[in-house]
Amino acid sequence: MPRDTLTADRIVRAAIEMLDAEGLDGLNMRGLAQRLGSAATAVYWHIKNKDDLVRLSSEAVWGEVELPDLDTTDWRTAAAAHATGVFTMLTRHPWLVQAFGSHLLYGPAQARHNDFSLAVYEKAGFEPADADRAAAAALAFVLGSTLGPAAQVSLNRRLGKTGEDAGQLVADAMAHATETAKQFPHLRKRLDTAAAAEYAGAPEHSFEFGLRSLLDGFEARLAADRADAKD
């Protein structure tokens, strides 16, 4: 492929596809060039290195999350929609969760979301310092909620490369986990219930429950602040 037909946008889109399929460890310039039908040297004309490629890919996927209109939406609805949008995006691109701990990620797309989150909590009535804390707490909750799915994707990918029977490995691990759970009273009570099938992961609707509880806590904090201000 001639160099002039290759663009940074095409490279980033291909990199995201590769990251989604193979994870951070599977991304390399040579493999990416093959995917594009080009030479690795041509890719380097547009993207200087792998770190820069991950950063640009991060920016692109942040752009997938729509921001609610704060002029027409109450703060809690906007906060819930934003957190859910980010959670959905991170679940769709689990490599980004890993990248937060291994790459310097920055850019206007991510900054736009950070700015929006601050605006949400300032609209709620938090003073600037507490808006910072609320935004940080909401992001920490979303990131924490994506760790399980991201880890499962990474584990499945690793098991698939060993040449062993991945299904049998998982079944053996679950059997061992069940025996371990029997040693603990609250876990033991759940072994004969539907929750047992979710022992290795979060129960259904955990994200929605946790987000609702978090926002309930923010509302309670705001109410307490207003009560204190009247005293």
Side-chain angles (χ1 to χ4, degrees):
M1 180 180 295
R3 195 184 73 208
D4 60 359
T5 67
L6 200 61
T7 65
D9 182 63
R10 286 193 60 218
I11 293 169
V12 169
R13 289 201 307 270
I16 293 170
E17 293 175 359
M18 195 171 184
L19 285 162
D20 289 344
E22 303 181 35
L24 276 178
D25 293 339
L27 179 66
N28 62 81
M29 294 303 223
R30 184 179 299 277
L32 179 62
Q34 291 175 349
R35 181 180 287 258
L36 288 163
S38 181
T41 51
V43 174
Y44 282 113
W45 276 97
H46 299 275
I47 309 292
K48 60 184 179 181
N49 55 43
K50 179 179 174 179
D51 286 345
D52 200 42
L53 183 59
V54 172
R55 181 182 63 79
L56 292 170
S57 297
S58 167
E59 279 287 281
V61 297
W62 273 108
E64 297 174 4
V65 184
E66 294 186 11
L67 297 182
D69 185 354
L70 272 183
D71 291 332
T72 60
T73 309
D74 66 274
W75 79 266
R76 177 160 178 153
T77 300
H82 186 230
T84 301
V86 175
F87 173 78
T88 301
M89 180 272 287
L90 291 174
T91 303
R92 188 165 56 243
H93 303 294
W95 54 269
L96 183 54
V97 180
Q98 182 184 358
F100 283 133
S102 58
H103 289 74
L104 295 172
L105 303 179
Y106 57 90
Q110 184 175 342
R112 181 167 169 257
H113 284 275
N114 294 338
D115 183 78
F116 176 83
S117 190
L118 293 175
V120 166
Y121 295 110
E122 287 185 1
K123 179 176 182 177
F126 284 114
E127 293 297 324
D130 281 342
D132 291 348
R133 297 183 182 101
L139 179 60
F141 169 73
V142 172
L143 289 177
S145 297
T146 62
L147 287 178
Q152 190 63 53
V153 168
S154 179
L155 176 62
N156 291 342
R157 186 180 292 121
R158 185 177 69 80
L159 291 178
K161 293 179 179 179
T162 65
E164 301 179 76
D165 185 339
Q168 187 59 53
L169 289 172
V170 171
D172 291 345
M174 289 303 297
H176 181 72
T178 298
E179 291 303 311
T180 301
K182 290 178 180 178
Q183 302 173 40
F184 300 91
H186 292 89
L187 293 176
R188 186 167 59 247
K189 286 189 296 185
R190 285 165 171 76
L191 290 177
D192 294 327
T193 69
E198 299 164 341
Y199 178 63
E204 189 177 8
H205 303 307
S206 290
F207 176 77
E208 293 83 358
F209 176 85
L211 179 59
R212 186 167 62 250
S213 299
L214 180 69
L215 297 179
D216 286 347
F218 287 161
E219 285 196 320
R221 180 70 266 163
L222 287 165
D225 289 345
R226 286 192 290 270
D228 289 344
K230 292 179 180 179
D231 292 341

